[in-house]
Amino acid sequence: MSKKAGMQVTRTWRLTVRVFLPFAAGYYLSYLFRTINALIVSDLSSDAGLGSANLGLLTSVYFLVFAAAQIPVGILLDRFGPRRVQSALLWFAALGAGLFAVSTGFLSFLIARAMIGLGVAGALTAGLKSIILWFPRERVALLNGYMIMLGSLGAVTATVPVEHLLAWMGWRQLFEVLAAATGATAILIYVVVPEQRVIPSKAPASATLGSVFSDRRFWRIAPLSATCVGSAWSLQGLWASPWLADVEGLDRAGLVRQLFIMSIVLSGGAWLFGMTIHHVKRTGLTAETIFAMVAVLFIAAELALILRVPLPSILPWSVVAIIGTATVVSFAVIADYFPSELAGRANGVLNVLHFGWAFLAQYATGLILEQWSTNDGHRSILAYQVAFSLNVALQIAALVWFGLPWIQSFACWMKSVPSTMPVSAFDVVEASIFCEQSDGEVEW
């Protein structure tokens, strides 16, 4: 190895330790906070006296605040850089975790959870921004994948490891530990990460958020991506645990084991989707088609749960988990839709919708479940079937909307097929006009 190559390797390892790993730690905490309520839901219900509706609102307010903060945090990152912004936000999350640990009433729990959501709202975007600032362009995509994969290990931690911790310290003491760890990570990022000058964006004046909001192609994918990804986050982040206990009849050990498997699947999901897109697109298959297939798979998995199809429950629940990383696919669709100067804004707006829908789905599910009384601490299967079916119905409607150009193209093709039935001149002209209009729609 030449001296120059050796210096390059040393520099890469130095950047990995001083830049990549501290921001990966912040994203890890973000994912841990996002999913930990699924494991302590029974403790919150018994210790704090929270019903299903309050539990749904309490857990989902994280997504609401997270969504609302995405665009402002992005602006702050562009102006002040990821080091200072992420460090300050994590301090806010640490305070929220500390407040959660000592809360006794629903309002204080809600405020604490909202503080946590705001504090970790920039965890992923700050990490991705730091990669762009410090690492070579040719390694950005690879490091982005590793960042998401390492961060999602927080979901793994929020299962078996946290269960062992809860056995001897209790959930309040656990949140005190998390508050300390979050504060330590904030200090680590501020002290260890070097400062880097942020270069202002050179995007043209026409590249604005309005350009994203006015694009019809964006509004084709947005409803489907939001209802699928947001619902997957909602289910894994909270409602998988009550379902497994009430419907599947799992004991505590079985429930934790299944959540652990789901989190492992989630951790590998981003890498799997990234590799799939990388290889499959070479065959001419578009990211749109891949995303439609992902949505169909998710809907099928939910229907298998709702209809009680005789399958091991880990199979459909693993599909639910992996769909939580389908943002990799939807962001690939966005990259096909928009030029590079607009892709970042479009991804940010889409992420707002992901988290916004996760909030609505998580809270609405709790409200629906609350309409059924409990029997020996458990809700009926029908309650969950109704709650989950509403999500599926909206996903199917979004899928039809997403596939409308393909449906119109198929209708045109069917009209162009010769028929043995007599056709009037009016019918031919009408079909021609319809197909011309549909062709325009397909170019979205």
Side-chain angles (χ1 to χ4, degrees):
M1 181 183 294
S2 66
K3 182 178 180 180
K4 183 177 180 180
M7 292 177 62
Q8 182 62 36
V9 170
T10 301
R11 181 178 184 276
T12 300
W13 277 106
R14 185 180 295 118
L15 286 176
T16 299
V17 173
R18 295 190 63 188
V19 177
F20 179 82
L21 291 180
F23 282 103
Y27 186 48
Y28 165 87
L29 288 169
S30 172
Y31 236 115
L32 177 57
F33 281 123
R34 183 192 304 181
T35 55
I36 196 170
N37 276 15
L39 200 62
I40 64 171
V41 61
S42 59
D43 295 318
L44 290 174
S45 181
S46 58
D47 294 356
L50 301 180
S52 294
N54 283 342
L55 282 171
L57 179 58
L58 174 63
T59 304
S60 63
V61 75
Y62 170 102
F63 293 114
L64 178 65
V65 175
F66 203 110
Q70 288 302 296
I71 294 176
V73 166
I75 295 172
L76 290 173
L77 287 171
D78 286 338
R79 183 170 181 179
F80 299 107
R83 169 179 166 266
R84 285 181 282 179
V85 173
Q86 177 68 340
S87 179
L89 286 175
L90 283 179
W91 269 115
F92 206 70
L95 292 175
L99 177 60
F100 199 93
V102 299
S103 293
T104 54
F106 175 69
L107 181 59
S108 59
F109 275 119
L110 192 68
I111 294 172
R113 181 72 174 169
M115 290 175 63
I116 293 171
L118 178 59
V120 298
L124 177 58
T125 49
L128 300 184
K129 179 101 179 159
S130 69
I131 290 172
I132 292 173
L133 289 175
W134 282 102
F135 291 89
R137 179 178 295 274
E138 64 271 13
R139 304 195 66 183
V140 167
L142 178 64
L143 289 170
N144 284 353
Y146 282 130
M147 176 73 70
I148 295 173
M149 185 176 71
L150 291 175
S152 62
L153 291 176
V156 178
T157 305
T159 56
V160 173
V162 166
E163 177 72 358
H164 288 306
L165 289 174
L166 290 173
W168 61 276
M169 69 164 49
W171 69 269
R172 291 187 184 275
Q173 289 72 31
L174 174 62
F175 268 83
E176 291 174 357
V177 171
L178 289 176
T182 306
T185 304
I187 296 173
L188 178 70
I189 290 175
Y190 190 81
V191 173
V192 173
V193 176
E195 193 66 71
Q196 174 73 300
R197 185 172 66 90
V198 180
I199 301 174
S201 174
K202 296 181 179 179
S206 60
T208 64
L209 285 174
S211 303
V212 177
F213 286 118
S214 62
D215 194 294
R216 291 183 298 174
R217 297 170 304 173
F218 177 82
W219 291 113
R220 274 187 59 226
I221 186 176
L224 184 61
S225 188
T227 54
C228 287
V229 174
S231 294
W233 290 347
S234 165
L235 291 172
Q236 180 158 12
L238 179 62
W239 297 118
S241 180
W243 169 283
L244 293 172
D246 294 348
V247 178
E248 304 292 342
L250 296 184
D251 58 13
R252 180 72 177 183
L255 185 151
V256 173
R257 183 168 56 251
Q258 186 138 319
L259 291 176
F260 177 74
I261 295 172
M262 289 171 61
S263 63
I264 291 291
V265 172
L266 170 70
S267 182
W271 176 83
L272 176 63
F273 280 134
M275 292 296 293
T276 299
I277 293 173
H278 178 71
H279 291 291
V280 173
K281 287 185 73 173
R282 294 179 178 180
T283 68
L285 200 63
T286 65
E288 269 193 347
T289 306
I290 297 172
F291 190 74
M293 295 166 61
V294 168
V296 170
L297 180 63
F298 181 48
I299 292 171
E302 291 175 293
L303 289 175
L305 291 170
I306 294 168
L307 300 176
R308 310 294 292 132
V309 175
L311 292 170
S313 65
I314 190 59
L315 295 179
W317 277 114
S318 292
V319 173
V320 170
I322 202 171
I323 298 303
T325 63
T327 49
V328 176
V329 187
S330 53
F331 288 160
V333 177
I334 291 295
D336 290 341
Y337 285 170
F338 296 99
S340 57
E341 61 267 17
L342 269 177
R345 291 171 176 82
N347 286 341
V349 175
L350 186 59
N351 221 23
V352 170
L353 297 176
H354 288 155
F355 283 98
W357 186 262
F359 161 75
L360 291 174
Q362 206 163 68
Y363 183 37
T365 298
L367 287 176
I368 294 172
L369 292 177
E370 195 85 336
Q371 306 310 308
W372 275 264
S373 59
T374 59
N375 182 18
D376 195 24
H378 299 284
R379 298 198 185 276
S380 68
I381 295 176
L382 180 60
Y384 289 97
Q385 288 173 322
V386 171
F388 286 17
S389 294
L390 177 60
N391 260 330
V392 174
L394 293 171
Q395 290 157 16
I396 292 174
L399 179 61
V400 172
W401 172 251
F402 181 70
L404 193 58
W406 296 329
I407 296 171
Q408 291 175 334
S409 296
F410 180 75
C412 286
W413 178 80
M414 291 296 294
K415 285 180 178 289
S416 68
V417 175
S419 173
T420 57
M421 298 293 293
V423 181
S424 69
F426 176 78
D427 291 333
V428 174
V429 172
E430 185 183 40
S432 175
I433 294 174
F434 175 79
C435 289
E436 289 177 2
Q437 292 174 340
S438 297
D439 289 341
E441 293 298 318
V442 175
E443 296 299 324
W444 283 6

